[in-house]
């Protein structure tokens, strides 16, 4: 995908002043007992909202939250309006609907620079069905549409794709930034370019491995995926998580890797337990073979040293997927060692994937990365080389 989309960054006050701008953001924030437990997605939306305010637009924000089947009070965006107001340093009016009379009335009363947040668009079934009627209703209160919901850009919904048929549409700053790092850095990286790909299942990651093969100089594979690859090579992996139905694809990948420009690195030692519990007694196994009662839960110290060395000599590092069961402190050593090495590195460091981003935040190292993608599934699809409908729609609409 190339940057031929129309974007907000090229728009001037003359084009925005007094305009009613419908902005789709991703406010799908984690909630714990009705409280927002992580602000990152709100913060990521601020540059676009602030730019619209500064250019005297009327800012009408829409988002989804969770996966409601209809109106669901616990998934109301109301608490987010308050929090957004605090972050922006100005009041944000909440409107308890996303379409209809209430919205029309609220928008008609707006003055330049006002910000309102509409209710969760997924309270209407038309949202996920990408229903033209619902899209049109959303679009009817605005003059322009700005798409900045990167985390939802892989979904063709009414508020991400449908509305672009009815309004001049532009990418916001977050979308632009995500494209710059997830697309630009991969297409024309500073080399050496090292990818570290971990996580749970090989079935979820083969697309990324395939897409990056030949593009990166070094690919380190870690996490549970390791065991499908080791099994494919004829090793015994004990009780580790591995996928029998992916063995042949894993083998084919390793064969293709041999004739590619990419050096593939698999873990050379493992932290193993016989029972998965936080206080399980862990031992280190060298080489590929685990005994029947052992389960690999983290990369071992030699592997950590190997990865640190690769990061040290890299000019670009892309990381997706924790290297162990990092949710348990005892098995988070490999994952946090990588986070630390990335933080200390002078390379361009790009992190994609929900759990990887969470690990970086947990390690307190978020500010030390060049870019942490705000999109979980969207980032993964981008890294697989797929076209995201929410971004493609901006291209088509303005093309
Ligand atoms: P991301 O969200 O960053 O793309 P994934 O969702 O692919 O990452 O993987 C994250 C999950 O992988 C974590 O919940 C972690 O516990 C799990 N995981 C990592 N290593 C292992 C392992 N050796 N065995 C089982 N699960 C693992
Ligand atoms: Mg995940």
């Amino acid at each position: 995908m190339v940057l031929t989309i129309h974007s907000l960054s090229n728009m001037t006050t003359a084009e925005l002043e007094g305009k009613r701008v419908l902005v789709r953001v991703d406010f799908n924030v984690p909630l714990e007992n009705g409280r927002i437990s992580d602000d990152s997605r709100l913060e990521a939306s601020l540059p676009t909202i602030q730019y619209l305010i500064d250019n005297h637009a009327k800012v009408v924000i829409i988002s989804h939250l969770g996966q409601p089947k209809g109106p669901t009070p616990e998934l109301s965006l109301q608490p987010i309006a308050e929090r957004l107001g605090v972050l922006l340093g100005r009041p944000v009016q909440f409107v308890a609907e996303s379409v209809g009379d209430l919205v029309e009335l609220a928008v008609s009363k707006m003055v330049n620079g006002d910000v309102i947040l509409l209710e969760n668009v997924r309270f209407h079934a038309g949202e996920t069905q990408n229903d033209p009627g619902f899209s049109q209703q959303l679009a009817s209160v605005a003059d322009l549409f700005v798409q900045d919901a990167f985390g939802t850009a892989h979904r063709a919904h009414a508020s991400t794709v449908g509305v672009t048929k009815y309004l001049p549409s532009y990418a916001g700053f977050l979308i632009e930034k995500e494209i710059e790092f997830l697309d630009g850095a991969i297409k024309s990286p500073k080399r050496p370019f090292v990818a570290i790909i971990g996580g749970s299942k090989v079935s979820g990651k083969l697309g990324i491995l395939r897409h990056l093969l030949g593009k990166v100089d070094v690919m380190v594979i870690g996490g549970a995926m390791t065991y499908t690859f080791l099994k494919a090579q004829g090793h015994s992996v004990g009780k580790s998580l591995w996928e029998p139905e992916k063995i042949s694809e894993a083998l084919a990948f390793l064969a293709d890797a041999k004739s590619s420009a990419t050096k593939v690195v698999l873990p050379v030692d493992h932290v193993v337990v016989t029972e998965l519990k936080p206080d399980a007694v862990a031992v280190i196994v060298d080489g590929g073979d685990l005994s029947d009662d052992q389960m690999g839960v983290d990369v071992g110290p030699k592997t950590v040293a190997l990865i640190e060395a690769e990061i040290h000599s890299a000019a670009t590092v892309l990381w997706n997927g924790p290297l162990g069961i990092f949710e348990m402190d005892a098995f988070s050593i490999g994952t946090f060692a990588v986070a630390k090495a990335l933080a200390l590195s002078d390379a361009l460091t790009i992190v994609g994937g929900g759990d990887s981003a969470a690990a970086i935040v947990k390690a307190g190292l978020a500010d030390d990365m060049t870019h942490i993608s705000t999109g979980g599934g969207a980032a993964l699809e981008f890294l697989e080389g797929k076209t995201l409908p929410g971004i493609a729609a901006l291209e088509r609409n303005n093309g």
Side-chain angles (χ1 to χ4, degrees), residues 130-189:
N130 194 10
D131 174 64
F134 184 62
S135 304
Q136 223 165 342
Q137 271 190 299
L138 284 171
S140 67
V141 295
D143 304 300
L144 304 169
F145 174 62
V146 171
Q147 154 69 312
D148 215 19
F150 181 73
T152 327
H154 58 319
R155 304 280 180 234
H157 291 169
S159 70
T160 59
V161 172
V163 285
T164 65
K165 296 203 173 68
Y166 306 102
L167 290 172
S169 302
Y170 303 85
F173 293 121
L174 178 61
I175 292 262
E176 264 196 295
K177 187 165 157 241
E178 295 275 6
I179 293 175
E180 177 190 342
F181 288 108
L182 296 179
D183 195 51
I186 289 170
K187 285 199 177 128
S188 45

Side-chain angles (χ1 to χ4, degrees), residues 196-215:
I196 303 166
I197 311 292
S200 50
K201 291 185 165 177
V202 72
S203 49
K205 296 290 164 91
L206 263 169
I208 295 182
L209 299 185
R210 281 279 173 202
H211 185 62
L212 295 179
L213 194 65
K215 293 191 180 70

Side-chain angles (χ1 to χ4, degrees), residues 326-351:
F326 79 103
E327 295 89 341
M328 296 186 190
D329 289 342
F331 317 130
S332 66
I333 294 168
T335 300
F336 286 152
V338 169
K340 188 92 204 234
L342 289 179
L344 292 172
S345 159
D346 294 328
L348 193 84
T349 49
I350 304 164
V351 181

Side-chain angles (χ1 to χ4, degrees), residues 8 34 55 58 74-75 79 84 106 111 151 169 213 217 232 248 258 274 285 287 317 360 372 386 391 396:
L8 183 61
N55 285 283
K58 297 170 181 170
E74 310 82 72
L75 293 174
L84 181 64
V111 299
S169 302
L213 194 65
D217 299 295
S248 61
K258 276 211 182 88
T274 50
V285 171
V317 186
I360 295 268
I372 301 181
K386 290 187 184 153
I391 293 174
R396 199 175 55 230

Side-chain angles (χ1 to χ4, degrees), residues 20 22 60 62 93-110 116-121 123-124 133-142 163:
R20 300 164 303 166
L22 187 69
V60 181
I62 51 174
Q93 190 199 335
F94 174 71
V95 179
E97 245 304 355
S98 56
V99 290
D101 296 346
L102 264 185
V103 178
E104 280 162 32
L105 182 68
V107 173
S108 72
K109 288 184 179 160
M110 291 177 88
I116 65 176
L117 176 64
L118 307 185
E119 185 55 288
N120 192 341
V121 284
F123 286 1
H124 291 268
F134 184 62
S135 304
Q136 223 165 342
Q137 271 190 299
L138 284 171
S140 67
V141 295
V163 285

